Amino acid sequence: MTRQTPTGRQEQTHFMHLDELGGLEVLQASYLRQSFSRHSHEGYCIGVIDDGAQRFYRSGGEHVAPHGSIILVNADEVHTGSSAAENGWAYQAMYPTPELLANLARDLKTGSGGAPHFPQAVVHDVGLASQLRLAFGLLHSKENRLLKETMLFSALTWLMLRHGKSRIEPAAQSRAQRQVALVKALLDDFPEIDISLLELADRVALSPYYLLRQFQRVTGLPPHAYQIQARLRKARDMLKRGHGVLESALACGFHDQSHFHRHFRKSMGVTPGDYVNSLR
């Protein structure tokens, strides 16, 4: 999809779903004015900056990824995105699931095993960036699946070996964490419901202010922003199953198609229509 900006420069996006790779999502984009609001993905975001520079929030701080660098965002990690250069930025990004990376890491000596954690938001690794670019290029091809998967899985494996760590989770959760988990599960299962902070707090026997603080500390987002992300996840699933854009928007709790369109693009970088076209 190509869009004209007020300066005359074109923004271009190309979104792909690779069914042969378990529905792996891939974005190739050139942005000038695009601004991603705080959001998260079920999968990782692994990208290479091809031109310009990107500024983004991740892991409690702001980062700048210049041309040639690799950007890394862990699954479910809250992040943003905008230009850090006058001419915008161009990049290629993929969103592998934790299950895919955990499967690739099965035979690696990574301590506890499982999906990796990437502690660095921006990595400067020229050789690996070139390997990822080669893999991205092959993903556009409909032929030679063996070569395509070999290059992709090799690049991801080297990425985990060089820059991934095992993440140690706490053995026990506090009461507040358990209550937050209950609220999170409710919003995940029924994102379309119109529910107040008072009602959520009452359900888990916490004060509204304490729930708000603890929820944001655990998830990185306040409940209303998390609900938007949960609605977008449900809407994407509906779109994948063939439902229309307006139908999906209303079923997931968005006021109208324009409301849905705005939040979708600020999270995914493409419009719902672009996303649907990528499924065909």
Side-chain angles (χ1 to χ4, degrees), residues 80-102:
T80 61
S82 61
S83 176
E86 287 187 6
N87 63 335
W89 85 102
Y91 74 135
Q92 301 176 79
M94 68 179 79
Y95 305 90
T97 63
E99 292 75 20
L100 173 59
L101 294 192

Side-chain angles (χ1 to χ4, degrees), residues 2-275:
T2 301
R3 294 180 179 82
Q4 198 86 4
T5 68
T7 63
R9 181 187 172 103
Q10 291 183 333
E11 291 193 338
Q12 297 181 325
T13 58
H14 180 61
F15 202 91
M16 295 190 301
H17 286 82
L18 302 177
D19 293 334
E20 68 272 26
L21 291 171
L24 177 68
E25 295 181 338
V26 179
L27 172 66
Q28 183 177 24
S30 176
Y31 293 127
L32 183 64
R33 296 180 177 272
Q34 170 71 15
S35 177
F36 291 91
S37 58
R38 287 200 177 197
H39 67 284
S40 61
H41 302 284
E42 303 96 309
Y44 294 79
C45 176
I46 298 170
V48 179
I49 305 296
D50 292 328
D51 190 27
Q54 181 187 15
R55 184 185 308 279
F56 65 103
Y57 166 91
R58 195 216 93 164
S59 303
E62 294 283 338
H63 309 274
V64 173
H67 173 236
S69 61
I70 300 170
I71 56 174
L72 298 170
V73 180
N74 296 294
D76 294 320
E77 192 167 36
V78 175
H79 59 288
T80 61
S82 61
S83 176
E86 287 187 6
N87 63 335
W89 85 102
Y91 74 135
Q92 301 176 79
M94 68 179 79
Y95 305 90
T97 63
E99 292 75 20
L100 173 59
L101 294 192
N103 187 43
L104 293 177
R106 279 187 308 172
D107 298 323
L108 303 179
K109 295 181 180 179
T110 57
S112 61
H117 174 75
F118 296 108
Q120 294 178 278
V122 180
V123 168
H124 303 279
D125 188 325
V126 176
L128 184 56
S130 296
Q131 193 174 359
L132 283 167
R133 280 200 186 90
L134 181 58
F136 276 119
L138 289 170
L139 290 179
H140 292 272
S141 172
K142 298 293 185 182
E143 302 176 354
N144 204 335
R145 288 181 55 188
L146 183 58
L147 174 61
K148 180 163 56 176
E149 293 181 9
T150 297
M151 296 305 300
L152 173 64
F153 295 158
S154 294
L156 291 176
T157 300
W158 275 113
L159 179 67
M160 290 188 288
L161 283 171
R162 293 183 184 180
H163 305 289
K165 304 290 183 184
S166 295
R167 188 167 197 171
I168 300 174
E169 300 293 341
Q173 289 186 323
S174 68
R175 175 177 176 271
Q177 287 175 313
R178 292 193 295 271
Q179 305 304 77
V180 166
L182 291 174
V183 172
K184 182 175 176 292
L186 174 66
L187 296 178
D188 284 335
D189 293 340
F190 305 101
E192 69 281 359
I193 61 173
D194 182 15
I195 192 167
S196 71
L197 180 62
L198 286 171
E199 290 171 312
L200 287 174
D202 186 60
R203 282 173 177 260
V204 294
L206 294 175
S207 74
Y209 180 66
Y210 187 69
L211 172 61
L212 180 62
R213 286 197 309 162
Q214 292 299 316
F215 192 95
Q216 185 156 356
R217 184 181 67 82
V218 172
T219 68
L221 293 170
H224 71 275
Y226 185 88
Q227 185 183 48
I228 291 292
Q229 296 304 307
R231 287 175 174 177
L232 289 172
R233 286 194 292 271
K234 181 173 180 178
R236 291 201 304 273
D237 184 62
M238 289 185 67
L239 294 175
K240 289 177 183 177
R241 290 186 281 114
H243 295 274
V245 172
L246 180 58
E247 177 189 4
S248 301
L250 298 179
C252 294
F254 292 98
H255 304 319
D256 51 35
Q257 191 164 329
S258 175
H259 184 220
F260 178 45
H261 181 286
R262 184 171 68 257
H263 282 292
F264 197 98
R265 192 165 195 270
K266 288 180 80 65
S267 177
M268 297 296 295
V270 295
T271 68
D274 295 339
Y275 190 82

